[in-house]
Structure formats: structure tokens, C-alpha cells
Amino acid sequence: MKKQKLSLLILIISLLLSSCNRNADMGETNLTQPDNTASPYSPQTNSMSSLFLKPCAVINMTDMETLFQESPLFINEENGGCVIRNQWDTRSIWYSVFSGEQSLPAMQWHTRHLIAGWIEDDYQLIVDEIISNKANQSLIDLQEARLVVYEQLEYRWERFFTVGNSAYWILNSRAFKGILDVVEEDIYLQIGFSGFLAAQVQTEIENLAKSIIVQLPEKFFVEFDFPEEVGELNLVENLLEVPQILEVTKTSQEIFFGDLCGNEMTTIRAQIDNFEMIDNVYLVYRLVSANETNDNWKTVFMNQLTPSTWEISLSAETSFLSYQLVNGAQVEYSIAIIYNVNNVQRSSSYSDILLLQCRQ
């Protein structure tokens, strides 16, 4: 009987000790397990030396609400980056960041997509030449080379010196749109905004760029494959969703200048389809003659007559004050549409108006 009691006591003690060891092991596992929900990074499955970057996880939504001065905001991962929009989709801030072997393909991909929606074949030729040029196969060289593309799209740029090894502010004030383009060693970072006045957000965007760079690990990887250009079907669908200039007319093909002249004015009128999306329409023009070869363009906003009709008048007395009035000079112009807050659709160039000196 005593042996049975002793055996039972030993069994109970063994069970208790086994239970304590299991609890101790479980407690240690919980303490050392990483909390992935609180980190913007996760281990990369094909390389333990790199981390997947979750772009939107490095954004502080409280800071964004302060910047937008409104709530709620909507945040999504798109094209390997992160986009924050307000509930009316009238303002947005977006950013993308790539490092290492992804950086140059990312900048090349962004360069190709700068001209998406523009109809001029010349833009495609410019972009293809820039990307294929052997001199533009580093981040900084390509960053500088593609500034000409932004210029063609009516952006203005300036160097920025307090973040990265090379950085540019690239702004289109008329479209309320801007981009901070940054190269930091092998990192390519781009932060953009739309629907804001540049002066309203530039400082905050600059601080955001510095904050993102500080948070980045030594090596990281973004899960994005840089897809090819959209197919013809998608391109047609996209064109159906943007305003289209159906017709451009003018009241006169000749504008006269000189003393006691008549017919000193012509009115350019544009008929536009899908007008529901239009925010504004403007005319870009210059005077071209044998006496002037400078690239001095002027921009004036057109007046809306009806939801689909916009017009502007050019006068020999007031519209060409920065040019030399030369008999036979040509007015070169095009029409641009700002739609959906920050997108621009531009017509082909026209050279069908002459400036003539009247003779009494």
C-alpha cells in the first residue's frame, strides 16, 4: 500500500514539473515573437538579407489629417507606392520609394508614365531616347536627363539641397500639382501632391521625405513588378474617360497691327467632350517670326461660355506685348485642359493665325 502511494506521489510530481516546463517554453516564445502588425516591414521569402516594405505603413495618418485639414482620409497602395486622398478625391498625396536593383527600373518606369494620356508622338520619342541612352543608366544621370520631359509637360523645376544626394522640386502651379524627386545613394524616393497650393504643403512634404528616409532599413524590397505599358483596349477605355477637344475654331485667321487698323483681334473657341470632368482650360501661345527664335510662351486661362465651350480673344494691342510685332509673324498655340484635379490633356499645336501690319 505504501509503495502504491509513493508511486502515485512521484507521478503527480512528474506531471506538475512537466506542466511547468511547457508553460515556461510557451512564455518565452510569446516574448520573442516579432509583432509584424506594428512594423512596416516583413521578411522577404527569397532573401533573408532583405525586407519587404509596406509603403503605407510608414505614413502617420494623424499627420496627414493635420496636413489635409480634414477627415476622414482614404489610404491605398497603388503602383508600388502609397496614395492618401480626401473623401471628395479633390486632394491627394502619394509617395513611392525603391532601393538597390529596383531603383533604376522604378525611375525608368515613372519616366515612361509621365507621358501617359498625352497624344504627341514626339514625347514618346524623347522618353525612349532618354531611357535607352547609355549615359543615363545611373539614378542621378537619369533624374537630370528627364527634366526635359517635365518641361515639355509644362512643369517648372528647381534644385533642392536639404534632403538626399540629389533632389528637385518639380511643380505645375496651374494644375495645383507638385513632385519632390529625391536620390539618396541607391534609394529613389518620389513624393507628390495634387489639389494643394505649393506654398501650403512644400515644407510638410520636405519633412515627410526626411522622415521616410530615416525609417528605411539598410536593405528593403517593394513588391511591385513594373508592368508594361497599357494595352490598346485599356488605352481606348482611358481616352473615353478624359475630356476630348472636338473642334477648335477662330473668328479670323489674320490679326492686324498698326495705326488706325481694324480686325485687330481674333477669338479662339474650343468645343470639348466629357466636360463634366473639366476644372479649367487654358491657352498656351507664342509669336514666331524671323526676328524671334526664343521659346517665350505665354499662358492665359480661357473663358467658359457653356459647360462644353471655352474661348479666349487675342488682340494685337494687348496679347503680344512681350514680342516684336513683325509683319507675317505666326501665332503658334495649343489648348490644355485641367481635369480631375491634377490631370492635363493638351491638344496638338496650331500655327494658323497670322499677324499682319495694316497699310492705309
Side-chain angles (χ1 to χ4, degrees):
M1 186 67 178
K2 290 182 179 180
K3 289 183 178 180
Q4 290 178 349
K5 290 182 178 179
L6 181 60
S7 298
L8 181 60
L9 181 61
I10 292 173
L11 179 60
I12 292 172
I13 293 172
S14 298
L15 290 172
L16 289 173
L17 290 174
S18 175
S19 176
C20 289
N21 288 336
R22 282 199 302 272
N23 289 336
D25 291 341
M26 290 174 65
E28 183 177 351
T29 300
N30 289 336
L31 288 172
T32 58
Q33 184 178 1
D35 182 10
N36 288 333
T37 61
S39 171
Y41 317 107
S42 59
Q44 184 179 337
T45 56
N46 61 353
S47 174
M48 294 308 295
S49 61
S50 298
L51 298 173
F52 274 130
L53 173 66
K54 304 172 184 177
C56 290
V58 299
I59 295 296
N60 185 307
M61 288 305 292
T62 301
D63 292 343
M64 289 295 104
E65 289 172 354
T66 301
L67 177 56
F68 278 77
Q69 296 183 350
E70 56 185 288
S71 179
L73 301 177
F74 298 90
I75 184 168
N76 295 289
E77 291 188 4
E78 298 177 13
N79 295 329
C82 184
V83 183
I84 304 99
R85 299 181 176 90
N86 65 357
Q87 58 186 321
W88 300 281
D89 203 16
T90 57
R91 289 180 170 184
S92 65
I93 289 175
W94 69 92
Y95 96 92
S96 61
V97 61
F98 298 90
S99 72
E101 295 180 356
Q102 282 192 305
S103 294
L104 186 61
M107 188 180 287
Q108 292 170 337
W109 186 82
H110 283 158
T111 304
R112 291 189 182 96
H113 279 70
L114 286 176
I115 59 172
W118 293 79
I119 60 176
E120 279 91 344
D121 293 336
D122 291 346
Y123 292 171
Q124 187 65 57
L125 293 175
I126 292 172
V127 168
D128 289 343
E129 183 178 348
I130 289 172
I131 292 176
S132 62
N133 193 325
K134 293 182 180 180
N136 299 330
Q137 301 308 307
S138 71
L139 290 175
I140 291 180
D141 289 335
L142 179 56
Q143 183 188 41
E144 293 178 353
R146 70 181 191 161
L147 290 173
V148 67
V149 182
Y150 283 108
E151 291 174 359
Q152 291 290 324
L153 302 181
E154 300 178 23
Y155 285 83
R156 298 294 177 263
W157 56 265
E158 60 183 30
R159 287 293 302 267
F160 184 65
F161 295 99
T162 63
V163 62
N165 303 124
S166 176
Y168 292 88
W169 264 115
I170 306 167
L171 302 171
N172 186 333
S173 299
R174 288 187 295 272
F176 299 98
K177 184 174 183 177
I179 297 164
L180 180 59
D181 205 64
V182 181
V183 173
E184 168 74 16
E185 296 181 354
D186 69 341
I187 293 171
Y188 170 52
L189 167 65
Q190 186 178 85
I191 306 177
F193 67 85
S194 64
F196 294 89
L197 291 172
Q200 183 180 2
V201 295
Q202 278 186 266
T203 300
E204 286 75 9
I205 296 294
E206 293 160 7
N207 292 336
L208 178 60
K210 297 172 185 177
S211 172
I212 290 173
I213 290 175
V214 168
Q215 294 182 65
L216 296 175
E218 184 177 351
K219 294 184 178 181
F220 64 90
F221 184 87
V222 177
E223 196 169 9
F224 186 61
D225 295 328
F226 309 110
E228 297 294 328
E229 297 295 330
V230 295
E232 291 185 4
L233 178 61
N234 289 336
L235 181 58
V236 171
E237 291 176 350
N238 289 339
L239 289 175
L240 291 175
E241 296 174 357
V242 304
Q244 299 293 315
I245 299 175
L246 301 178
E247 184 181 26
V248 176
T249 60
K250 52 209 161 296
T251 55
S252 175
Q253 291 185 319
E254 298 175 343
I255 303 176
F256 290 91
F257 68 94
D259 296 333
L260 303 176
C261 280
N263 300 322
E264 296 182 341
M265 183 179 298
T266 187
T267 299
I268 299 171
R269 183 172 295 173
Q271 193 73 28
I272 303 173
D273 196 11
N274 295 337
F275 54 82
E276 298 88 352
M277 302 179 183
I278 296 175
D279 294 306
N280 224 321
V281 180
Y282 59 92
L283 182 79
V284 181
Y285 71 95
R286 65 177 177 177
L287 201 59
V288 179
S289 70
N291 292 16
E292 290 183 310
T293 57
N294 62 305
D295 192 22
N296 181 20
W297 292 88
K298 294 192 65 176
T299 300
V300 290
F301 283 100
M302 301 181 73
N303 304 308
Q304 187 177 24
L305 295 183
T306 71
S308 61
T309 306
W310 298 70
E311 72 172 23
I312 189 73
S313 294
L314 296 182
S315 165
E317 291 187 359
T318 59
S319 300
F320 307 105
L321 298 179
S322 59
Y323 301 95
Q324 297 180 40
L325 299 185
V326 177
N327 186 49
Q330 284 187 321
V331 181
E332 184 177 341
Y333 64 96
S334 64
I335 295 169
I337 305 169
I338 301 174
Y339 67 98
N340 282 358
V341 181
N342 64 354
N343 296 295
V344 180
Q345 178 79 350
R346 185 166 173 174
S347 74
S348 302
S349 292
Y350 299 91
S351 299
D352 53 8
I353 300 175
L354 286 178
L355 194 70
L356 301 174
Q357 185 171 16
C358 66
R359 302 187 184 280
Q360 299 298 326

